[in-house]
Amino acid sequence: MKTKQIRFRLWNQPRSTPHAESAAPADRECDTHVKGREARRSRSGCTECRRRRVKCDETFPVCVRCQKRGSFCQSPPRLTKWQHEAPWIKLGSSSSPAPTRQLAVTSKSDDKALLRYWLERASQIMVIDPDENPMSFPILEYVEQCPSLKHALQSVGAGHRHYFDPDKLSKCLEERSSALRLIIQDLSCPGDNLFPLFLSVLLVGLSTAWTNGPTAEFGQQHLRGARALTDILLSDASTRETRPPYFNFVVGAYLYWDMALAFLIPVEEQVSLNTDEMYSALLDVGQEYHPIGGYSTEIFYLLGNVGRYCRSVVETGVRDESVEVALQEEMEKWEPNRDNAQLGLMSDAFRSHGLINLEAICYRRRRDDAAGDAFMTEFLNMTCEEDTELWQSLPSSSVDDDLEVRIRNRALDVVHNLISIPSSHACTNLQAIPLFTAGSELTKEDTRERELVLQRFKEVYSLNDLRANLTALEMLPEIWKRKDAGESISWLEVMLEKGWNIMLG
């Protein structure tokens, strides 16, 4: 008797545009029938409903009861096509049918469980579409080839399984330590392991930010390691003919990570993004779909430069208007791919994230500098009596109404567009960065939008369990309070005052 085999589609083969409907929870619900009758017990009920011993309707990512209570909803991620198409996969089990791809993974039972948890659950937080996830089962072909990757996967799996609770990270940190030790050994000569080694560095770096508090290390050193590997790839694959199939994935993943950290890294530690090799690769990647960032790779490159510049302005107080004009023009003329409505809105939101930061952090300073220069010119040409009258007539603050209206309108557009995307849509994973920037610029007239932002952050946290979302929920009300009191301050300035580093991606 022949055993039916499942043919895995390699992630680097051409794929169609993901549809919004593919992320609907109903499409990925497991069978609820047991032995011919409907199961009455909730299989995927959230933690809060189980604690209260009430029936959970299992709406993902936030059930109806938690939504009404306004509480966090922690429930298992939905099953994806991988579990439906290949439910028989048992890692390292001799009783399982042999699949098309050999899954020769041998490890201790606990490690095996962690690896499986990553493949079926934790890997979903890395991508837009869990059903088309190169970080899930397709990654298995590299696990034996690169031992550090297995430990990196198990580290993130161990952390995610316990909602990255600081009191339950011992296994996560143990696995990360093993991964780091092996990464250091391999970095000197990556050879054929460049791609799995890049994945190891990416996962270890991201999980550093996910597990640490806002005042601790946020993965900056690991980003440098990823950049070194990316540069090797760019130099070895200078022409299209010599580029490996994972080329676009590495470039897109690095630019996303770089964008997420660009505002956080001090000026003297920044690595330039504008190299000929990187720009050439970006032109080739274009608006090709990327499983992590959708169609936004090009705007991530621009945002990496915006973040570096804004950080420099806040640290040094020195501006360059030619740079500001160039960045604004490039972002405004960039047009996102709108083949998918939700991903088009996400790309627009990221562009607005860059424009809002440029205006709120840099243009406000330009406005204040211009107002100060005008005042000094007038002051130096006055008599003593006129001087007294001038001081008495000065307003409490110098406000450029047009600039503030423009910033607020951009922020409102971002909030409305992001909230229009159902929280069950997988691209909600991507919303935290632009949502935080836009939310921080809402005014006291935008009470409803502020509430929507806080609610969406709760939904994002329920979806991916990343604790940076909780930090955002703590920081936004503080920013709003200071703005309502008349301060003209940006989220970046507040973050630096507190000594925090929040990586929301």
Side-chain angles (χ1 to χ4, degrees), residues 258-259 261-267 270-274 301-328 331 354-355 357-366 369 492 496:
D258 177 87
M259 174 274 303
L261 294 186
F263 288 89
L264 309 184
I265 300 177
V267 175
Q270 294 274 12
V271 178
S272 175
L273 196 60
N274 300 322
Y301 173 81
L302 290 174
L303 293 176
N305 284 288
V306 171
R308 286 166 168 79
Y309 178 73
C310 289
R311 177 70 186 227
S312 173
V313 169
V314 171
E315 280 192 28
T316 66
V318 178
R319 295 180 300 100
D320 186 331
E321 292 194 20
S322 63
V323 173
E324 295 172 4
V325 170
L327 288 172
Q328 180 173 351
M331 286 189 288
L355 290 168
N357 279 308
L358 197 62
E359 293 172 337
I361 296 173
C362 305
Y363 290 3
R364 277 177 180 154
R365 289 172 180 264
R366 183 169 66 185
D369 291 346
L492 181 58
L496 292 179

Side-chain angles (χ1 to χ4, degrees), residues 118 122-127 135 152-153 155-157 159-160 163-166 169 172-173 176 202-214 216-219 256-257 260-261 292 429 461 464-469 471 501-505:
W118 162 266
S123 62
Q124 295 182 31
I125 70 174
M126 294 288 297
V127 296
M135 303 295 286
L153 298 174
S155 173
V156 179
H160 187 270
Y163 306 105
F164 296 103
D165 185 338
L169 291 177
C172 170
L173 298 178
R176 185 194 298 171
L202 174 70
L203 289 167
V204 168
L206 291 175
S207 68
T208 299
W210 294 343
T211 55
N212 288 349
E217 164 65 23
F218 53 92
Y256 171 78
W257 189 12
L261 294 186
I292 294 178
N429 259 335
Y461 176 68
N464 58 30
D465 301 318
L466 300 183
R467 301 182 73 83
N469 297 303
T471 307
N501 291 294
I502 308 173
M503 198 204 79
L504 288 168

Side-chain angles (χ1 to χ4, degrees), residues 429-471:
N429 259 335
L430 271 178
Q431 290 192 6
I433 291 175
L435 185 67
F436 182 75
T437 295
S440 69
E441 292 299 330
L442 296 175
T443 68
K444 55 187 174 183
E445 285 78 28
D446 307 319
T447 304
R448 177 176 173 274
E449 283 76 14
R450 286 180 174 182
E451 293 175 353
L452 290 173
V453 168
L454 295 179
Q455 178 59 34
R456 178 48 59 97
F457 262 110
K458 291 180 181 179
E459 293 167 350
V460 173
Y461 176 68
S462 297
L463 187 66
N464 58 30
D465 301 318
L466 300 183
R467 301 182 73 83
N469 297 303
L470 303 181
T471 307

